[in-house]
Amino acid sequence: MNETFLKPKRRGRPSRCPDLETLNFLYTTKTTTEIAEMMDVPRETVRGWIKRARRNARAAEERTRAGV
């Protein structure tokens, strides 16, 4: 499961979003408010990262079940 769910942007400013493993570790040990303060981003941004990671993980799981 080395597939990257949170892909870096191709242009524009670099994303502050951590990789999936780091985000998962932070989310299991800290609140979204604590993560937001640590990363210096709004709390809603962290919630968006988590929501996107969950959606992509769910889609990857469905693809695996479908045999694609």
Side-chain angles (χ1 to χ4, degrees):
M1 186 164 218
N2 292 337
E3 183 177 342
T4 303
F5 293 113
L6 304 174
K7 296 179 182 176
K9 292 181 178 180
R10 294 181 188 246
R11 59 179 182 252
R13 71 176 176 174
S15 175
R16 293 186 190 177
C17 184
D19 61 281
L20 183 61
E21 291 176 18
T22 304
L23 184 62
N24 186 36
F25 173 75
L26 290 172
Y27 187 63
T28 57
T29 59
K30 300 189 179 303
T31 66
T32 55
T33 304
E34 292 171 334
I35 297 168
E37 290 172 357
M38 193 169 73
M39 305 282 296
D40 195 31
V41 295
R43 183 173 55 95
E44 294 303 317
T45 299
V46 175
R47 291 182 69 209
W49 293 342
I50 293 165
K51 183 177 180 180
R52 187 178 330 125
R54 283 181 179 158
R55 183 177 53 228
N56 290 339
R58 214 173 291 124
E61 185 178 325
E62 289 176 8
R63 282 193 303 266
T64 303
R65 271 195 239 146
V68 174

